[in-house]
mmCIF file of all heavy atoms in Angstrom:
data_model
loop_
_atom_site.group_PDB
_atom_site.id
_atom_site.type_symbol
_atom_site.label_atom_id
_atom_site.label_comp_id
_atom_site.label_asym_id
_atom_site.label_seq_id
_atom_site.Cartn_x
_atom_site.Cartn_y
_atom_site.Cartn_z
ATOM 1 N N GLY A 114 2.212 112.154 107.563
ATOM 2 C CA GLY A 114 0.803 111.817 107.368
ATOM 3 C C GLY A 114 0.017 112.970 106.787
ATOM 4 O O GLY A 114 -0.837 112.773 105.914
ATOM 5 N N ARG A 117 0.847 113.266 103.171
ATOM 6 C CA ARG A 117 0.161 112.229 102.417
ATOM 7 C C ARG A 117 -1.316 112.565 102.227
ATOM 8 O O ARG A 117 -1.883 112.379 101.141
ATOM 9 C CB ARG A 117 0.304 110.890 103.161
ATOM 10 C CG ARG A 117 -0.401 109.713 102.498
ATOM 11 C CD ARG A 117 0.184 109.433 101.145
ATOM 12 N NE ARG A 117 -0.453 108.279 100.527
ATOM 13 C CZ ARG A 117 -0.411 108.026 99.224
ATOM 14 N NH1 ARG A 117 0.250 108.848 98.410
ATOM 15 N NH2 ARG A 117 -1.006 106.953 98.735
ATOM 16 N N LEU A 118 -1.938 113.077 103.294
ATOM 17 C CA LEU A 118 -3.351 113.439 103.211
ATOM 18 C C LEU A 118 -3.558 114.573 102.208
ATOM 19 O O LEU A 118 -4.525 114.561 101.424
ATOM 20 C CB LEU A 118 -3.864 113.850 104.590
ATOM 21 C CG LEU A 118 -5.366 114.138 104.695
ATOM 22 C CD1 LEU A 118 -6.188 112.913 104.308
ATOM 23 C CD2 LEU A 118 -5.717 114.592 106.114
ATOM 24 N N GLU A 120 -1.781 115.154 99.583
ATOM 25 C CA GLU A 120 -1.635 114.559 98.259
ATOM 26 C C GLU A 120 -2.896 113.811 97.845
ATOM 27 O O GLU A 120 -3.354 113.904 96.694
ATOM 28 C CB GLU A 120 -0.433 113.619 98.249
ATOM 29 C CG GLU A 120 -0.268 112.771 96.988
ATOM 30 C CD GLU A 120 -0.028 113.596 95.723
ATOM 31 O OE1 GLU A 120 0.335 114.789 95.848
ATOM 32 O OE2 GLU A 120 -0.224 113.065 94.620
ATOM 33 N N LEU A 121 -3.496 113.076 98.787
ATOM 34 C CA LEU A 121 -4.730 112.347 98.480
ATOM 35 C C LEU A 121 -5.876 113.312 98.166
ATOM 36 O O LEU A 121 -6.680 113.067 97.262
ATOM 37 C CB LEU A 121 -5.102 111.448 99.672
ATOM 38 C CG LEU A 121 -4.160 110.268 99.937
ATOM 39 C CD1 LEU A 121 -4.530 109.592 101.251
ATOM 40 C CD2 LEU A 121 -4.212 109.246 98.800
ATOM 41 N N ARG A 124 -5.431 114.537 94.678
ATOM 42 C CA ARG A 124 -5.867 113.537 93.694
ATOM 43 C C ARG A 124 -7.394 113.477 93.617
ATOM 44 O O ARG A 124 -7.977 113.341 92.536
ATOM 45 C CB ARG A 124 -5.291 112.169 94.056
ATOM 46 C CG ARG A 124 -3.801 112.054 93.760
ATOM 47 C CD ARG A 124 -3.209 110.814 94.384
ATOM 48 N NE ARG A 124 -3.950 109.617 93.990
ATOM 49 C CZ ARG A 124 -3.744 108.407 94.528
ATOM 50 N NH1 ARG A 124 -2.833 108.269 95.499
ATOM 51 N NH2 ARG A 124 -4.442 107.363 94.113
ATOM 52 N N ALA A 166 -10.173 102.415 91.789
ATOM 53 C CA ALA A 166 -9.267 103.504 92.159
ATOM 54 C C ALA A 166 -9.944 104.469 93.127
ATOM 55 O O ALA A 166 -9.342 104.934 94.098
ATOM 56 C CB ALA A 166 -8.795 104.237 90.920
ATOM 57 N N THR A 167 -11.216 104.781 92.852
ATOM 58 C CA THR A 167 -11.949 105.707 93.730
ATOM 59 C C THR A 167 -12.108 105.134 95.126
ATOM 60 O O THR A 167 -11.899 105.822 96.132
ATOM 61 C CB THR A 167 -13.332 106.017 93.130
ATOM 62 O OG1 THR A 167 -13.163 106.614 91.841
ATOM 63 C CG2 THR A 167 -14.106 106.966 94.029
ATOM 64 N N LYS A 168 -12.486 103.836 95.181
ATOM 65 C CA LYS A 168 -12.638 103.197 96.486
ATOM 66 C C LYS A 168 -11.306 103.151 97.231
ATOM 67 O O LYS A 168 -11.238 103.388 98.437
ATOM 68 C CB LYS A 168 -13.183 101.783 96.310
ATOM 69 C CG LYS A 168 -14.642 101.723 95.862
ATOM 70 C CD LYS A 168 -15.101 100.287 95.692
ATOM 71 C CE LYS A 168 -16.567 100.230 95.241
ATOM 72 N NZ LYS A 168 -17.018 98.822 95.032
ATOM 73 N N GLY A 169 -10.231 102.853 96.478
ATOM 74 C CA GLY A 169 -8.907 102.821 97.107
ATOM 75 C C GLY A 169 -8.498 104.178 97.633
ATOM 76 O O GLY A 169 -7.918 104.293 98.723
ATOM 77 N N LEU A 170 -8.799 105.219 96.857
ATOM 78 C CA LEU A 170 -8.466 106.583 97.269
ATOM 79 C C LEU A 170 -9.214 106.968 98.532
ATOM 80 O O LEU A 170 -8.637 107.523 99.485
ATOM 81 C CB LEU A 170 -8.803 107.549 96.137
ATOM 82 C CG LEU A 170 -8.496 109.037 96.384
ATOM 83 C CD1 LEU A 170 -7.010 109.251 96.614
ATOM 84 C CD2 LEU A 170 -8.980 109.878 95.202
ATOM 85 N N ILE A 171 -10.514 106.646 98.563
ATOM 86 C CA ILE A 171 -11.327 106.964 99.744
ATOM 87 C C ILE A 171 -10.817 106.194 100.964
ATOM 88 O O ILE A 171 -10.694 106.736 102.069
ATOM 89 C CB ILE A 171 -12.807 106.644 99.468
ATOM 90 C CG1 ILE A 171 -13.352 107.585 98.389
ATOM 91 C CG2 ILE A 171 -13.623 106.762 100.755
ATOM 92 C CD1 ILE A 171 -14.751 107.233 97.929
ATOM 93 N N ARG A 172 -10.507 104.916 100.762
ATOM 94 C CA ARG A 172 -10.014 104.083 101.877
ATOM 95 C C ARG A 172 -8.674 104.609 102.401
ATOM 96 O O ARG A 172 -8.440 104.680 103.611
ATOM 97 C CB ARG A 172 -9.872 102.637 101.419
ATOM 98 C CG ARG A 172 -9.429 101.686 102.550
ATOM 99 C CD ARG A 172 -9.499 100.228 102.121
ATOM 100 N NE ARG A 172 -8.699 99.979 100.923
ATOM 101 C CZ ARG A 172 -9.208 99.737 99.714
ATOM 102 N NH1 ARG A 172 -10.518 99.730 99.521
ATOM 103 N NH2 ARG A 172 -8.415 99.513 98.675
ATOM 104 N N GLU A 173 -7.799 104.998 101.480
ATOM 105 C CA GLU A 173 -6.487 105.507 101.888
ATOM 106 C C GLU A 173 -6.626 106.828 102.630
ATOM 107 O O GLU A 173 -5.923 107.068 103.626
ATOM 108 C CB GLU A 173 -5.600 105.678 100.653
ATOM 109 C CG GLU A 173 -4.140 105.908 101.001
ATOM 110 C CD GLU A 173 -3.230 105.825 99.788
ATOM 111 O OE1 GLU A 173 -3.735 105.539 98.674
ATOM 112 O OE2 GLU A 173 -2.016 106.067 99.949
ATOM 113 N N MET A 174 -7.515 107.689 102.176
ATOM 114 C CA MET A 174 -7.738 108.953 102.881
ATOM 115 C C MET A 174 -8.277 108.703 104.287
ATOM 116 O O MET A 174 -7.836 109.333 105.258
ATOM 117 C CB MET A 174 -8.728 109.816 102.094
ATOM 118 C CG MET A 174 -8.157 110.423 100.825
ATOM 119 S SD MET A 174 -9.370 111.445 99.937
ATOM 120 C CE MET A 174 -9.617 112.770 101.118
ATOM 121 N N THR A 175 -9.212 107.753 104.390
ATOM 122 C CA THR A 175 -9.793 107.431 105.703
ATOM 123 C C THR A 175 -8.729 106.880 106.640
ATOM 124 O O THR A 175 -8.629 107.283 107.814
ATOM 125 C CB THR A 175 -10.928 106.405 105.541
ATOM 126 O OG1 THR A 175 -11.940 106.952 104.677
ATOM 127 C CG2 THR A 175 -11.546 106.078 106.895
ATOM 128 N N ASP A 176 -7.896 105.944 106.122
ATOM 129 C CA ASP A 176 -6.829 105.347 106.944
ATOM 130 C C ASP A 176 -5.826 106.405 107.390
ATOM 131 O O ASP A 176 -5.372 106.406 108.546
ATOM 132 C CB ASP A 176 -6.110 104.244 106.161
ATOM 133 C CG ASP A 176 -6.986 103.015 105.943
ATOM 134 O OD1 ASP A 176 -8.017 102.901 106.632
ATOM 135 O OD2 ASP A 176 -6.629 102.176 105.086
ATOM 136 N N THR A 177 -5.472 107.289 106.474
ATOM 137 C CA THR A 177 -4.499 108.335 106.804
ATOM 138 C C THR A 177 -5.040 109.282 107.866
ATOM 139 O O THR A 177 -4.323 109.671 108.799
ATOM 140 C CB THR A 177 -4.123 109.133 105.546
ATOM 141 O OG1 THR A 177 -3.590 108.251 104.555
ATOM 142 C CG2 THR A 177 -3.088 110.203 105.868
ATOM 143 N N GLN A 178 -6.313 109.631 107.750
ATOM 144 C CA GLN A 178 -6.934 110.493 108.754
ATOM 145 C C GLN A 178 -6.965 109.810 110.124
ATOM 146 O O GLN A 178 -6.705 110.437 111.153
ATOM 147 C CB GLN A 178 -8.346 110.874 108.314
ATOM 148 C CG GLN A 178 -8.374 111.868 107.166
ATOM 149 C CD GLN A 178 -9.778 112.106 106.631
ATOM 150 O OE1 GLN A 178 -10.612 111.202 106.652
ATOM 151 N NE2 GLN A 178 -10.041 113.310 106.143
ATOM 152 N N GLN A 179 -7.247 108.508 110.147
ATOM 153 C CA GLN A 179 -7.259 107.759 111.403
ATOM 154 C C GLN A 179 -5.854 107.676 112.002
ATOM 155 O O GLN A 179 -5.669 107.796 113.217
ATOM 156 C CB GLN A 179 -7.835 106.359 111.164
ATOM 157 C CG GLN A 179 -9.332 106.352 110.881
ATOM 158 C CD GLN A 179 -9.855 104.958 110.569
ATOM 159 O OE1 GLN A 179 -9.089 104.040 110.276
ATOM 160 N NE2 GLN A 179 -11.179 104.799 110.657
ATOM 161 N N ASP A 180 -4.859 107.469 111.128
ATOM 162 C CA ASP A 180 -3.471 107.427 111.604
ATOM 163 C C ASP A 180 -3.078 108.753 112.235
ATOM 164 O O ASP A 180 -2.453 108.793 113.308
ATOM 165 C CB ASP A 180 -2.520 107.107 110.448
ATOM 166 C CG ASP A 180 -2.611 105.652 110.002
ATOM 167 O OD1 ASP A 180 -3.164 104.839 110.772
ATOM 168 O OD2 ASP A 180 -2.128 105.339 108.902
#
Side-chain angles (χ1 to χ4, degrees):
R117 179 63 178 161
L118 185 60
E120 172 63 17
L121 292 172
R124 286 168 54 189
T167 300
K168 289 179 180 178
L170 181 61
I171 294 173
R172 183 171 57 252
E173 193 170 357
M174 287 180 65
T175 301
D176 290 345
T177 302
Q178 288 173 328
Q179 289 177 344
D180 287 344

